[in-house]
Amino acid sequence: MKALCWNGTNDLRVERVPDPVLVNPHDVIVKVALSSVCGSDLHLIDGYVPTMRPGDIIGHEFLGEIVEKGPEVRYLNRGDRVITVSIIGCGHCGHCRHGESSLCDNSNPNPEHARTAYGHCGAGIFGYSHAFGGYAGSHAEYIRVPYADFNAFRVPEGVSDEKAVFVSDAVPTGYMAADMAGIKPGDVVAVWGCGGVGQMAMRSASLLGAERVIGIDRVPDRLRAAQMKAGAETLDYSRVDIFDALQAMTGGRGPDVCIDAVGMEADSGSNAVEDFYDRAKQAVGLQTDRPAVLRQMIESCRKGGTLSIVGVYGGLIDKFPMGAAMNKGLTFRMGQQNGQRYAERLFGHIRNGELDPSYLMTHRLPLDDGPQAYRMFKEKADDCMRVVFAPQG
């Protein structure tokens, strides 16, 4: 089959690879209809996530049709149109039973990498390095889905592919960011990053009762989408001081909730010295991640407020203002998305007309255009929010 493969930093190639096969009795094989790029893929492409190997298939947000199933798959059938949650759970361990599938004890077959880096091992992730299981990704004509009864969800009738595909990753990630922040009616929520996950976090914050939502970015088309599609007020961090602006917008109090939808490759906007410092430290290996957004959130959030972090971080950061966080009494909530917990609820919002993520798909391209598509996505060219591949043509 045809697949988009990682072959080194900024080196993607479309290659012919063996078709996937059933490995365990709980597996299914999905014929991929749509597979979206994601901002966290850029961390792989830019070389910030170790344990990638040449030939690894990337991609983790997808929709397709089940064409084969193992003998112990009970609730799914050949021909079902499904999305699959990007973070893989087993469905049986304590974490999965308590709605914390991103912390699954069993789905990562390579636990030694994560244990060395983090002390404990979390779940496997499609197409996201051998530290997270070495699973083949979704930018391919077919993909094997393990623990299928727990991870794959039938798409309801009346929900289009263009709306459904993002329930695989962007929608539950954004929704979880808002949900775990404990948003209350009347809250002011600020969201750093107006890409796909940030857009869904803003819309979800409104669904959960926020009175005002503020989106922060520098890309004009993403700021427009935040206003027109997510109903947010916006700030361009390249033009204003974010702390001063947020204080002015909240009467000197600060937002009740701050959401990080950016992660490890954040930049510091108008603070050129801080940005140079972070990039220099990262370049020489003295820190793995750039924490500009975290610093801004800690400084800007109201006393006693909540920081919700779903932007991906992989390792270590420098100049983290722990003193400010502690003395302001801030609450931190963070983690990879637990999409299995939210998928049915999100389909309900979509069917009720309360949520329409289809506008995230600004470009639909064949898989052969994969390397150029990621370049466009990374450079935010041509008003690109998300490229979605159609591997079947």
Side-chain angles (χ1 to χ4, degrees):
M1 69 174 181
K2 190 183 296 183
L4 182 60
C5 301
W6 183 94
N7 280 281
T9 301
N10 293 313
D11 183 1
L12 298 178
R13 306 174 198 171
V14 177
E15 301 178 358
R16 285 284 174 183
V17 301
D19 289 1
V21 296
L22 299 173
V23 175
N24 295 304
H26 299 282
D27 293 349
V28 299
I29 304 297
V30 171
K31 181 181 180 180
V32 180
L34 295 176
S35 182
S36 176
V37 305
C38 176
S40 60
D41 295 337
L42 299 180
H43 310 323
L44 304 176
I45 295 167
D46 291 341
Y48 294 122
V49 179
T51 72
M52 290 293 290
R53 300 175 187 169
D56 283 348
I57 304 170
I58 64 171
H60 57 259
E61 186 166 22
F62 64 100
L63 169 149
E65 176 190 344
I66 295 176
V67 293
E68 290 185 61
K69 58 178 281 188
E72 295 185 27
V73 176
R74 297 182 179 181
Y75 306 115
L76 299 166
N77 295 298
R78 293 179 184 86
D80 283 348
R81 182 174 61 125
V82 297
I83 61 94
T84 301
V85 176
S86 61
I87 313 292
I88 303 166
C90 71
H92 305 293
C93 71
H95 289 294
C96 287
R97 290 199 307 270
H98 287 89
E100 301 170 334
S101 48
S102 68
L103 306 177
C104 178
D105 287 326
N106 299 316
S107 65
N108 187 343
N110 303 324
E112 64 279 359
H113 298 297
R115 285 175 183 159
T116 299
Y118 306 137
H120 296 86
C121 176
I125 305 175
F126 289 105
Y128 214 77
S129 87
H130 293 266
F132 294 96
Y135 289 97
S138 61
H139 292 342
E141 293 176 309
Y142 297 90
I143 185 172
R144 179 179 75 92
V145 175
Y147 306 108
D149 281 329
F150 186 66
N151 295 302
F153 292 80
R154 288 190 189 92
V155 179
E157 290 294 325
V159 176
S160 69
D161 289 357
E162 292 77 11
K163 293 179 181 178
V165 64
F166 297 109
V167 180
S168 175
D169 186 276
V171 184
T173 304
Y175 194 91
M176 176 173 148
D179 185 43
M180 68 181 175
I183 293 170
K184 300 180 291 296
D187 276 354
V188 178
V189 178
V191 178
W192 273 255
C194 295
V197 169
Q199 297 283 335
M200 293 300 99
M202 287 182 278
R203 183 69 193 113
S204 299
S206 296
L207 285 173
L208 294 174
E211 182 174 307
R212 296 174 68 191
V213 179
I214 303 166
I216 302 166
D217 209 299
R218 63 174 175 81
V219 182
D221 59 280
R222 296 187 176 192
L223 292 169
R224 284 194 299 271
Q227 293 174 329
M228 298 174 65
K229 300 292 188 178
E233 303 167 61
T234 58
L235 292 172
D236 182 341
Y237 68 76
S238 69
R239 295 178 177 271
V240 300
D241 181 280
I242 292 300
F243 173 79
D244 289 345
L246 288 173
Q247 296 305 296
M249 296 172 77
T250 58
R253 187 168 177 264
D256 301 285
V257 170
C258 294
I259 293 175
D260 177 356
V262 179
M264 68 169 68
E265 293 188 72
D267 63 60
S268 303
S270 58
N271 191 334
V273 174
E274 180 183 334
D275 194 54
F276 176 80
Y277 175 90
D278 279 337
R279 291 176 185 275
K281 295 275 284 192
Q282 190 178 46
V284 298
L286 295 177
Q287 67 175 4
T288 58
D289 306 347
R290 301 196 298 266
V293 165
L294 294 177
R295 295 189 194 113
Q296 288 183 10
M297 294 203 307
I298 291 168
E299 181 183 30
S300 301
C301 194
R302 72 159 170 86
K303 292 180 288 185
T306 299
L307 273 60
S308 177
I309 304 164
V310 292
V312 172
Y313 290 86
L316 305 174
I317 58 176
D318 192 21
K319 294 187 68 176
F320 183 81
M322 190 65 192
M326 185 269 174
N327 285 286
K328 292 177 72 173
L330 301 179
T331 297
F332 285 71
R333 297 296 306 276
M334 64 192 82
Q336 299 276 10
Q337 57 109 345
N338 301 311
Q340 293 84 348
R341 179 177 181 175
Y342 296 112
E344 298 290 357
R345 187 189 315 180
L346 295 171
F347 278 132
H349 284 306
I350 291 172
R351 294 187 75 178
N352 292 337
E354 298 164 328
L355 181 65
D356 181 359
S358 62
Y359 74 93
L360 302 182
M361 186 191 300
T362 55
H363 296 73
R364 179 171 176 157
L365 296 173
L367 197 58
D368 285 329
D369 291 345
Q372 300 92 326
Y374 266 103
R375 192 175 307 116
M376 175 174 62
F377 178 57
K378 180 178 179 179
E379 295 171 356
K380 302 177 178 66
D382 196 30
D383 291 349
C384 180
M385 178 82 72
R386 287 286 182 96
V387 178
V388 176
F389 299 117
Q392 305 303 325

